[in-house]
Amino acid sequence: MEQSALTQLLTELTATWENEVVEFKQAGNDYSTDDIGKYFSALANEANLRGVDAGWLVFGVNNRSRTVVGTDYRREAEHLHQLKMQITQNAEPRISFRDIHELAHAHGRVLLFEIPAAPQGIPIAWKGHYYARAGESLTSLSLDKQDGIRQQTLAQDWSAQVVADATLADLDETAVRKARESFAAKYANRLSLDDVLDWPLASFLDRARVTQEGRVTRAALLLLGNAESAYRLSPHPAQLTWSLEGPERAYEHFGPPFLLNSTRLYQRIRNIQLRILPQDQLVPVEIPKYDQRVVLEALHNCIAHQDYRRNGRVVVVEQPDKLIFENEGDFFEGLPEDYIQNTRPPRRYRNPFLAQAMAELNMIDTMGYGIHDMYRGQARRYFPMPDYDLSEPGAVRMTIYGGVMDLAYSRLLIQKTDLPLMDVLALDRVQKKLAIPDDAAGRLRKAGLIEGRKPNYFVSASVADATASKADYIRTRAQDDEFYAKLLTDYLEKFGKASRGEINKLLLGKLSDALNDTQKDNKVANLLTNLRRKGRIHNTGSRGHPVWRLAE
């Protein structure tokens, strides 16, 4: 926000003075983070109840004279913005300031903390306690106000409905034990596992927001229900489906309890170790094909945002080089790109009761920030960024890649681990042959990260040393051939055999764009010939229709 806009905002806030959604403090450098957290909870809850978009905590204004006096609170920018993470760690659900604005006022420095309103149906707590305002005073959020927030979506929330005739006996004992462990881990700074294990079952489930006053909800059956009780959710199929596509085909359905079976589905995915050879190095980097945290974040997002009223399944399709996650219902609250930069918490959830229960059980680590974490996770592993497909009405598809798309892109990320996420996203679009804004192209070109002319940009193949000698180039090219050979032999080891068409599908897209189609085809042919001559593979088909296998 521009300084002029901040000045106008401050004028408007001081004109109305303190009320339930605005708080002014002079605030020295040692102002208590715990007190800030309490105001965060109170102002978020009050903003929700009053139907406004945000509450404001303002430092540097005398709360008696209404004049700017300035504040010394955390003058270092990095230290100031660390406060966002500190709030996230102790707020429930885990959200933080929308932004921290710094105004250079004529009478001193002013900080304006923008606090998003609590999401519909979900009050905000600080260290387990709910806060509110009574005029200018800080107080506890009354039970009436808590109920007022929770009932905002209760009638429309499919997951919050109590299941007739269901009892605590319909819950899986192993899942309940895991739920207690996950809840204790989430609140390890305040609770021990022994304490949580000692709680009566009904008390624990209510505190974990899974049941309502001891009554079993649809969310409880989804997350903790035993397999035999899934019929109580009929006609809504409570299923996760894993489907394997490629030379081999298989599938498996997983019912409740999703707290356990989401991990069992992940274990069906073929997660081998891959090797990437960095520029001008002899030792490859080994990484798993998929990161368990990224996969489970994606799967848990599907569970949390599935529109169960559409009577569909959550589906995970495993292809040789990627995973595709599918769930029913349009993307809820905005667009995926709104969340990539970790700047926007969602105001609403399709299934707020289920989402809050999953957060309490540590299935969703940071509500609203899972997309950002998945993108960061892929960047840390040097792989392409996830892709969202919203082209089909009433459905969301997300792709997570399990391999190298452009070797230059992966090598660049290995070498430049400090690239801003914004630049990684732009480089990812370049490797996928998608357009990028002119300002991003100018920034990447100036840094030597891309080459070519608009719109045919490509990731620079040599970021380590633009003046590499021919000998270095030849050595690097030989390493590239070994990389492709490894991809092929790993494929044959996994699937047993491959036709030339399957090998082309595996390798052609990963070859340099500097090669034309004929050169790419010749490179694959030469690779097969070299591996055959070395005795590593052999053709069990004919010359016209080869079938390649690993040599005995």
Side-chain angles (χ1 to χ4, degrees):
M1 193 179 294
E2 298 292 335
Q3 291 289 296
S4 59
L6 288 175
T7 300
Q8 178 62 30
L9 173 63
L10 180 62
T11 300
E12 294 172 358
L13 294 177
T14 53
T16 58
W17 203 232
E18 287 190 349
N19 54 43
E20 282 81 356
V21 295
V22 182
E23 174 69 24
F24 294 95
K25 295 289 181 186
Q26 186 164 333
N29 187 50
D30 58 350
Y31 193 84
S32 168
T33 301
D34 194 51
D35 286 343
I36 294 175
K38 293 175 182 178
Y39 279 112
F40 180 88
S41 168
L43 294 169
N45 291 329
E46 294 294 349
N48 171 290
L49 291 167
R50 281 155 181 75
V52 298
D53 185 59
W56 294 90
L57 177 61
V58 183
F59 282 5
V61 175
N62 186 287
N63 62 354
R64 293 182 181 273
S65 64
R66 307 189 183 189
T67 57
V68 173
V69 295
T71 177
D72 291 327
Y73 183 78
R74 298 197 182 190
R75 282 197 170 272
E76 293 183 4
E78 183 177 354
H79 190 205
L80 175 62
H81 285 275
Q82 285 175 353
L83 182 62
K84 282 189 174 184
M85 181 57 67
Q86 291 175 289
I87 296 297
T88 300
Q89 290 171 344
N90 289 288
E92 304 158 20
R94 296 192 179 192
I95 65 174
S96 189
F97 300 109
R98 183 174 295 158
D99 207 345
I100 301 176
H101 306 280
E102 188 167 359
L103 171 62
H105 193 275
H107 299 297
R109 174 174 175 258
V110 177
L111 296 176
L112 299 97
F113 298 90
E114 185 176 358
I115 300 171
Q120 290 187 357
I122 304 178
I124 301 297
W126 172 256
K127 294 186 175 179
H129 297 283
Y130 297 93
Y131 292 92
R133 300 289 300 283
E136 298 179 10
S137 301
L138 189 68
T139 184
S140 295
L141 185 68
S142 68
L143 291 178
D144 287 343
K145 286 187 174 182
Q146 289 186 44
D147 290 341
I149 294 176
R150 291 196 173 109
Q151 290 173 4
Q152 289 169 349
T153 58
L154 208 56
Q156 297 81 32
D157 184 355
W158 179 91
S159 67
Q161 305 307 306
V162 173
V163 180
D165 300 326
T167 69
L168 299 185
D170 289 300
L171 305 183
D172 182 272
E173 292 183 3
T174 304
V176 170
R177 167 75 189 205
K178 176 64 175 177
R180 290 183 188 264
E181 293 171 354
S182 298
F183 186 87
K186 178 180 175 66
Y187 298 109
N189 60 333
R190 302 199 300 273
L191 298 169
S192 70
L193 177 58
D194 289 340
D195 290 336
V196 177
L197 292 176
D198 286 341
W199 292 347
L201 178 57
S203 298
F204 162 68
L205 295 173
D206 276 355
R207 292 187 68 170
R209 310 285 190 265
V210 177
T211 56
Q212 295 183 35
E213 299 177 345
R215 296 176 296 169
V216 176
T217 62
R218 285 170 171 164
L221 289 183
L222 287 174
L223 299 179
L224 305 178
N226 58 49
E228 294 77 12
S229 298
Y231 75 92
R232 296 190 184 278
L233 294 170
S234 180
H236 310 289
Q239 282 190 337
L240 313 175
T241 296
W242 164 78
S243 174
L244 176 65
E245 294 183 355
E248 295 180 325
R249 292 183 176 272
Y251 71 90
E252 186 172 350
H253 299 304
F254 300 85
F258 287 171
L259 178 64
L260 301 180
N261 285 341
S262 59
T263 300
R264 289 171 182 156
L265 185 151
Y266 165 77
Q267 291 169 345
R268 293 304 310 267
I269 295 169
R270 303 178 178 205
N271 198 11
I272 61 173
Q273 289 289 111
L274 299 179
R275 291 183 174 186
I276 302 176
L277 199 62
Q279 183 89 4
D280 297 329
Q281 293 186 25
L282 298 177
V283 179
V285 173
E286 289 203 2
I287 50 177
K289 190 173 184 179
Y290 301 107
D291 184 327
Q292 180 175 358
R293 290 172 298 180
V294 172
V295 173
L296 289 180
E297 183 72 46
L299 181 54
H300 290 166
N301 277 349
C302 289
I303 293 171
H305 299 295
Q306 169 89 341
D307 189 346
Y308 293 92
R309 296 168 299 182
R310 294 173 62 90
N311 299 339
R313 299 183 177 95
V314 171
V315 179
V316 180
V317 179
E318 180 183 355
Q319 295 183 358
D321 59 348
K322 59 182 172 253
L323 300 174
I324 302 172
F325 297 79
E326 304 175 3
N327 70 271
E328 293 286 339
D330 294 321
F331 192 89
F332 205 72
E333 184 69 5
L335 294 170
E337 50 264 34
D338 296 335
Y339 302 93
I340 293 173
Q341 292 291 344
N342 201 13
T343 57
R344 171 180 173 174
R347 284 291 312 277
R348 299 178 300 126
Y349 298 89
R350 174 175 282 117
N351 305 302
F353 192 86
L354 174 61
Q356 187 167 21
M358 293 178 70
E360 295 295 312
L361 301 184
N362 236 1
M363 296 177 73
I364 302 176
D365 293 329
T366 50
M367 292 179 66
Y369 302 118
I371 291 177
H372 170 84
D373 292 342
M374 288 188 288
Y375 276 72
R376 271 294 180 200
Q378 286 292 93
R380 282 193 296 266
R381 296 173 349 96
Y382 324 120
F383 281 176
M385 297 290 97
D387 283 330
Y388 274 88
D389 178 6
L390 309 182
S391 60
E392 180 183 341
V396 176
R397 292 184 179 87
M398 189 195 72
T399 299
I400 292 178
Y401 295 91
V404 172
M405 180 178 293
D406 180 344
L407 187 59
Y409 166 89
S410 296
R411 283 177 165 172
L412 190 153
L413 294 191
I414 291 174
Q415 184 168 353
K416 293 186 173 291
T417 58
D418 59 346
L419 281 177
L421 182 58
M422 183 181 300
D423 287 349
V424 177
L425 291 169
L427 289 167
D428 180 64
R429 291 185 63 84
V430 169
Q431 74 166 339
K432 293 172 181 173
K433 308 304 178 189
L434 300 173
I436 59 174
D438 290 342
D439 60 338
R443 186 174 65 252
L444 296 179
R445 184 188 293 280
K446 184 176 181 181
L449 303 180
I450 62 170
E451 301 174 28
R453 294 185 177 182
K454 182 181 180 179
N456 300 314
Y457 298 119
F458 57 93
V459 180
S460 177
S462 178
V463 294
D465 185 358
T467 60
S469 66
K470 286 186 177 181
D472 290 334
Y473 170 76
I474 293 171
R475 176 167 52 82
T476 302
R477 183 183 62 187
Q479 293 168 1
D480 285 354
D481 289 344
E482 184 57 35
F483 172 79
Y484 299 129
K486 176 62 174 166
L487 287 179
L488 176 57
T489 55
D490 284 348
Y491 184 94
L492 294 176
E493 183 176 357
K494 183 194 295 187
F495 298 113
K497 61 182 180 179
S499 66
R500 177 59 190 271
E502 290 168 337
I503 293 173
N504 285 348
K505 186 175 180 180
L506 173 69
L507 297 179
L508 288 180
K510 299 177 176 61
L511 297 178
S512 171
D513 288 331
L515 303 177
N516 60 34
D517 290 344
T518 300
Q519 291 170 325
K520 288 182 178 181
D521 191 71
N522 290 338
K523 185 173 182 65
V524 173
N526 292 336
L527 178 68
L528 293 172
T529 299
N530 289 337
L531 291 176
R532 178 179 58 79
R533 288 175 176 173
K534 293 177 181 178
R536 296 172 65 179
I537 63 174
H538 66 115
N539 179 14
T540 60
S542 63
R543 293 192 63 180
H545 300 283
V547 177
W548 295 97
R549 300 177 185 270
L550 288 175
E552 297 294 336

